[in-house]
Amino acid sequence: MENKFSSNAFFLSKYFALTTLMAVALTSGQSFRFVPSMGTPKEHLLCPTWCQNDTYCDRCCACHSKPEWDDNKTSYLRKVHVEYNSVRDKALLKINKQDKSQSTLYSVDHVYGRLRYFPGNICSFQHLVLVDFSFNHIEEIANISCLVHLDTLKLKGNKLKYISNTTFINLRNLREVDLSHNLIQKMDPNIFNIAGVQTYHVDVSQNILKTLDITNVFPENALFCEVNYTHSLFGKFVNTADMRLNPNKTYGSGEVILSNCVFPDHPLSLLLVSHPQDYPLISKVFQHGRIFMEGTAVMCDCRLGFILTLFRVMEDFKRRFFAKTDSMKYYCAGPPNMVNYTYMNILEDKNLTHLLVCDVKQFCPKGCKCIEQPSKHRLKVNCENSSFTALPEKVPITKLNVELHLAKNHIANLEYRDYLDKVSLLDLSDNPIQSISPEAIGSLTQATKITLNEHMLKGIPETIRKLDASKIDFGDNPLPCDCDNIWIGDWMRFTRDNSSSKLMCKTFKGVVSAEVVTTSYLDCPVGTSETLLQVMVGLLSALCCMLIWVLIAVQFKFEILLLKRKILKPHSRKKWIYDVFIEFDEESYDVRQYIFKTLQPFLLSKGLEVFIPCADTTPGETTDAIMLSTIMNSKSVLVVLSYGSENIAYSSAFSYFLHDYDRKLILLDFDHSTRNSNSHLKGSAALKRFGYYIPITDRHANICQRLADIFGPSVVKDLQQPSDDTVSDTTEIQLL
């Protein structure tokens, strides 16, 4: 009693301190209008400014924001009273004529009355923001979707039995609901998180729920402060809507209180059972909030063990699922060996986590014991000394590794089973194993230990070579070894580590370790077919290498040419007529403005001779021959890529660039078009990979200056037009 009193005193003192702080903050103007980062904002809510420093500002405001009418200096509520008009306890709402307030917001406070129904004209007061009908006799909540401004609804101590998920539809401003001390037995899924309604404070304590849908415990993307189910659930959790965890959403932003209830499992267990493939997503639940279960006993078996394995740090689990007051109140209801332990005992003693097991009955072979143990990530199927003559047809379905213990049985043949690929341990010691099927041994790739002591094998399939020989214990019984299975020696030598596992071979020279067995040891002849096979393998390998080289050369031919260009030194030319040739889409207004108003003036100021076809030729004069000649006599070519540009001169410029190592070619991407309309330009991808590409959107660089640095100082020495011989020379370069 003393501990309970001190605990309550602690919370009361903390509550009054926080309330005082809130009052001071709100009345002193230290608040701001609360607009959540997600969801529809509520009207008239003021949040204390200190919430802005909280890591989870939205949650802080959801817990501590108050409506502006709580500050009497700024806003008042007009009082509405209830007037009964029949002996059947029907009533209407009426305004107090003596209330001279000019406020457009209303409140009604009618507690300890005899209401059995909501007042018939309640929708005539759509600006009601506070309704308190506590301690009446109301059995059903009427259609109140008309009260779109409602902030607080108090129905404590009535006779409500059922809450529909349409009850609060359209009530987007509903912040607080009190349904405590009723007779509620059933609630639909998504009660407080449907159609945009997000209620911050919900009290459903002291009811008699027989089931509770998991969506009302882990609301999806919902902003809330607290949902209280204390002394309310006396049944089980259900997943009526088949809820699954979504990796792109969050669950549980506030506190869910399930203290002093009666239910068999942790609520997370239901999600694990419904969709075990969602195990890794469980850690997303209650990242910002927590769940309290003080005084509620749950089963401390493998289901709790599964949950604990999902949290790498136990402190994280404590923070999300334990109250701060007294963690020793979280205790185990079973199984019998765990009844005297609390959650805290389990978290502080790792050995106790190994006791969180389940005795699995479904699909457990007759005569066997199947124990699921999440702490060791295993399902242990113990069928030792059970007179088995073959492997079990089925084992329980599990996400854990399967350990199959079949020692001291009468199994002669190791046959395939569809669960073998999940087996991490297979114990067949003291069984007269005479044969192993290739499919069975080939499926045991996850096994870390296979025991075949006392086997009677006459041979083993070559599929066993998929396994690590050091993981298999053959015992002392030898295996017949000859020239037909000479691979056994190679397998043991190349895969066995320094472990104690071994394989003995029975040869015509006696019993020896399999590692000793070689072609020369057994005097095995090397046949012509074997030599031919080796030659064919060699030729095939050479052919594959050549094919790979050809494919690389074809796929990356431009990259190879560019690499060659980088390695070889450039040749110096005596004459260039132009320093820079610029090709761009003359029809694009934006590109044209950039070239003539920004780039060209800058390059000219650096003393460079620039040729622009549309500006430096007579209209109608531009021909392929002139373009080819100009490109031939320009040291650098700048190709501006833009949507819809044809870049006719690019092919010639690229060909000259590959063959003349003194030239420069730059692609200027004006609007990220290289992967779209300009993808047809051969070699453009290679140029980009080798750094001959500049995106104009690079805000970390002065594009004009960068281009000027690449082009270098002017090298033009003679500005006279090229001769006809020069023009004809251009045709000799093969265009790519």
Side-chain angles (χ1 to χ4, degrees), residues 115-116 136-140 155-162 181-184 207:
L115 284 175
R116 296 176 59 193
N136 280 271
H137 306 283
I138 299 173
E139 298 180 2
E140 182 182 359
L155 297 173
K156 180 179 180 179
N158 279 275
K159 296 182 178 179
L160 299 173
K161 296 180 180 179
Y162 167 66
H181 293 270
N182 275 273
L183 303 173
I184 301 173
N207 279 280

Side-chain angles (χ1 to χ4, degrees), residues 123-405:
C123 282
S124 299
F125 295 83
Q126 294 187 8
H127 282 79
L128 274 169
V129 295
L130 191 154
V131 174
D132 188 352
F133 291 153
S134 299
F135 300 105
N136 280 271
H137 306 283
I138 299 173
E139 298 180 2
E140 182 182 359
I141 301 177
N143 182 0
I144 56 173
S145 60
C146 54
L147 304 180
V148 294
H149 301 285
L150 187 62
D151 172 86
T152 304
L153 177 63
K154 296 183 179 181
L155 297 173
K156 180 179 180 179
N158 279 275
K159 296 182 178 179
L160 299 173
K161 296 180 180 179
Y162 167 66
I163 305 297
S164 166
N165 56 14
T166 60
T167 300
F168 305 109
I169 200 166
N170 292 335
L171 304 185
R172 296 179 181 271
N173 289 299
L174 188 60
R175 177 180 60 87
E176 181 177 345
V177 175
D178 187 351
L179 302 175
S180 62
H181 293 270
N182 275 273
L183 303 173
I184 301 173
Q185 299 181 26
K186 182 182 178 183
M187 294 169 57
D188 282 349
N190 283 312
I191 289 291
F192 307 105
N193 184 35
I194 192 169
V197 177
Q198 293 190 343
T199 311
Y200 297 160
H201 300 270
V202 179
D203 191 350
V204 198
S205 62
Q206 301 290 341
N207 279 280
I208 50 175
L209 290 168
K210 295 181 179 179
T211 61
L212 180 59
D213 196 90
I214 205 72
T215 57
N216 294 322
V217 180
F218 306 124
E220 181 181 281
N221 277 355
L223 175 61
F224 67 96
C225 177
E226 178 184 285
V227 180
N228 189 354
Y229 294 105
T230 301
H231 285 289
S232 283
L233 179 58
F234 301 93
K236 62 180 180 178
F237 296 103
V238 294
N239 192 4
T240 308
D242 194 30
M243 170 188 171
R244 291 195 62 178
L245 295 179
N246 187 327
N248 299 318
K249 297 182 179 179
T250 58
Y251 303 85
S253 65
E255 297 179 349
V256 176
I257 304 175
L258 290 164
S259 299
N260 297 300
C261 293
V262 177
F263 49 83
D265 300 320
H266 195 288
L268 281 177
S269 298
L270 182 63
L271 290 178
L272 298 178
V273 172
S274 302
H275 298 286
Q277 63 271 34
D278 293 346
Y279 283 4
L281 302 179
I282 292 293
S283 58
K284 291 178 63 65
V285 176
F286 286 99
Q287 288 182 319
H288 310 316
R290 67 179 65 192
I291 184 169
F292 293 167
M293 297 192 300
E294 290 182 280
T296 298
V298 299
M299 293 296 291
C300 296
D301 55 14
C302 66
R303 286 163 290 193
L304 177 60
F306 274 119
I307 297 171
L308 291 180
T309 61
L310 299 172
F311 294 89
R312 296 183 179 179
V313 182
M314 289 301 180
E315 289 299 325
D316 187 29
F317 182 82
K318 293 183 201 176
R319 177 183 64 80
R320 299 191 201 183
F321 300 106
F322 285 170
K324 294 180 180 178
T325 53
D326 188 0
S327 56
M328 298 303 289
K329 293 180 180 178
Y330 294 74
Y331 60 94
C332 299
N337 63 322
M338 298 298 295
V339 168
N340 294 323
Y341 293 105
T342 65
Y343 273 27
M344 189 55 63
N345 295 145
I346 297 171
L347 294 177
E348 292 178 348
D349 186 351
K350 270 195 172 182
N351 291 324
L352 290 179
T353 62
H354 300 322
L355 300 180
L356 301 177
V357 300
C358 290
D359 187 357
V360 184
K361 301 296 184 183
Q362 188 176 27
F363 298 127
C364 187
K366 187 177 180 180
C368 302
K369 186 80 169 176
C370 300
I371 302 295
E372 213 165 26
Q373 190 178 26
S375 64
K376 294 189 176 180
H377 201 71
R378 68 175 181 177
L379 167 69
K380 184 177 180 180
V381 181
N382 191 346
C383 304
E384 292 185 359
N385 200 18
S386 298
S387 301
F388 276 61
T389 57
L391 265 61
E393 291 293 334
K394 292 182 179 181
V395 297
I397 298 173
T398 182
K399 287 288 182 180
L400 305 177
N401 295 330
V402 177
E403 292 187 1
L404 191 53
H405 296 262

Side-chain angles (χ1 to χ4, degrees), residues 108-121:
V108 57
D109 184 349
H110 185 74
V111 298
Y112 291 103
R114 52 190 177 89
L115 284 175
R116 296 176 59 193
Y117 314 98
F118 273 61
N121 65 339

